[in-house]
Amino acid sequence: MKNSMSRRQFILAAGALAGSAVLAGCGGSSTSSSSTSTSTDSSSSSASASDDSYTLVKDGTLTVVAELGFAPFEYMNDQTGDPEGFDVDVINAVAEKMGLQCEYLPNQKFDTLVPLIKQGGKADVSIAAITITDVREESVDFSEPYLDSNQAIVAIKGSTETEATLNDASKQVVCQGGTTGNDWITENLPNATCVPVDDVTAALTGVQTGLYNAMVVDLPVAKYMLTNSFSDLDIIEEIATGEQYGIAISKDNPNLTKAVNKALEDMKSDGTMDSIETKWFGSTI
Ligand code: GLN
C-alpha cells in the first residue's frame, strides 16, 4: 500500500512536470530527476529490475547530440548559448515524458552523428532532422518518424538554372556533406560538380556570392533560411523525396527506442506535437 501510494504520487508529479514544462529549453535547468525507465503500470520503480530498462550515458539524463546549424530544427541561440528549434522542443518534451533531464553535447558535424550513436558512450540519441534511410538503419535504430520532409534546389533570385541545366560539369552544386541532399545530387545530377560542405549557412552564402550555382537542402530549412536570412535566394524546385525524420538510437539500446516511441506517441495524442509544429511552422504539418 505504502509503495503503491508513493509510486502513484511519483507518476502524478511526473505528469504535472511534463504538462508544465513541455517547451522548456533543453540544456537549461530542468526539474525532473527520476531515472526510472517508464511510468507504465506494470513497470518496477527500479530500472535495473525492469524488463523495459535501458541504459543512459548519464543517469537521469537524456544526452543528445546534433549538428546545430539547421534552423528551424536546431540552431544556437547566440544570446543564451542554448540550442533552440523544433527538434530541441521535441526531444525536450520526450525527455520530460520519460522523467529525464535533457542535455545537448557541443555541436558535431552532421556526418558524424550516426557513427557517434553507433559507437555509443557519448550520447543516447541524435535528433537533427535525420532522414530515416536503409543505409543509416544498418548502423542505428530509428524512432518512429516524427516529421515528413522533402528537398529543395536553391539558387540566386532571377536565376535561370533548372535541374537540367545544373547537370553539367561546369556547375557547382553545394550541399551539406553526408546528407540526403548530397545523395540526391550524386544520383540525379551525375554530371554536375557536387560540393559537400559542413555548414548550411556557409553553403547558402556561397550561392549568394556566386561561388556555387545552387544548393540542395531540406525544403523546410530552405524555406526558413530564405525567409529569415537569405531574401535574395529562391527555391527554384521542390523535390518530392518523401523523406521522414527519425531519432537515431543505438541498436544496443532497443528499450530506449521503445521508450522514446512511447513518448512520441503520447505527444501525438495529447497535443504536444501539434503545439510544437504550430510554434515553428505556424500550423500543424
Ligand atoms: N534530412 C537530411 C538528412 O538526413 C539533412 C539533415 C541535416 O542536415 N541535419 O540527410
Side-chain angles (χ1 to χ4, degrees), residues 67 70 74 110 128-131 136 151 176 178-181 218 243 245:
E67 194 275 325
F70 212 59
E74 42 270 315
F110 182 76
I130 304 175
T131 301
R136 291 172 182 161
Q151 295 291 312
Q176 193 172 39
T179 59
T180 47
D218 292 23
E243 292 170 61
Y245 296 157

Side-chain angles (χ1 to χ4, degrees), residues 11 31-32 36 52 55 69 90 109 126 129 139 144 146 166 216 227 232 258:
I11 291 167
T31 43
S32 305
T36 45
D52 299 334
T55 59
V90 168
K109 286 204 259 176
S126 183
S139 301
E144 290 299 320
Y146 65 89
L166 286 169
V216 178
T227 304
D232 50 350
K258 278 188 202 153

Side-chain angles (χ1 to χ4, degrees), residues 14 33 56 73 87 97 110 117 120 127 131 138 144-145 164 171 188 209 212 226 228-229 233 248 273 277:
S33 61
L56 292 171
F73 295 104
D87 285 349
K97 294 270 183 216
F110 182 76
I117 292 298
I127 183 166
T131 301
E138 285 169 19
E144 290 299 320
K171 300 297 168 67
N188 297 281
T209 59
Y212 312 116
L226 269 49
N228 291 287
S229 322
L233 300 183
M273 201 54 115
E277 286 182 12

Side-chain angles (χ1 to χ4, degrees), residues 30-53:
S30 164
T31 43
S32 305
S33 61
S34 166
S35 61
T36 45
S37 62
T38 161
S39 62
T40 57
D41 287 342
S42 60
S43 73
S44 156
S45 61
S46 158
S48 58
S50 165
D51 286 338
D52 299 334
S53 68

Side-chain angles (χ1 to χ4, degrees), residues 175-216:
C175 59
Q176 193 172 39
T179 59
T180 47
N182 197 156
D183 294 341
W184 187 88
I185 297 169
T186 311
E187 281 159 32
N188 297 281
L189 303 176
N191 300 326
T193 307
C194 176
V195 187
V197 301
D198 291 338
D199 186 66
V200 169
T201 300
L204 289 171
T205 306
V207 176
Q208 208 170 34
T209 59
L211 185 60
Y212 312 116
N213 299 93
M215 175 173 197
V216 178

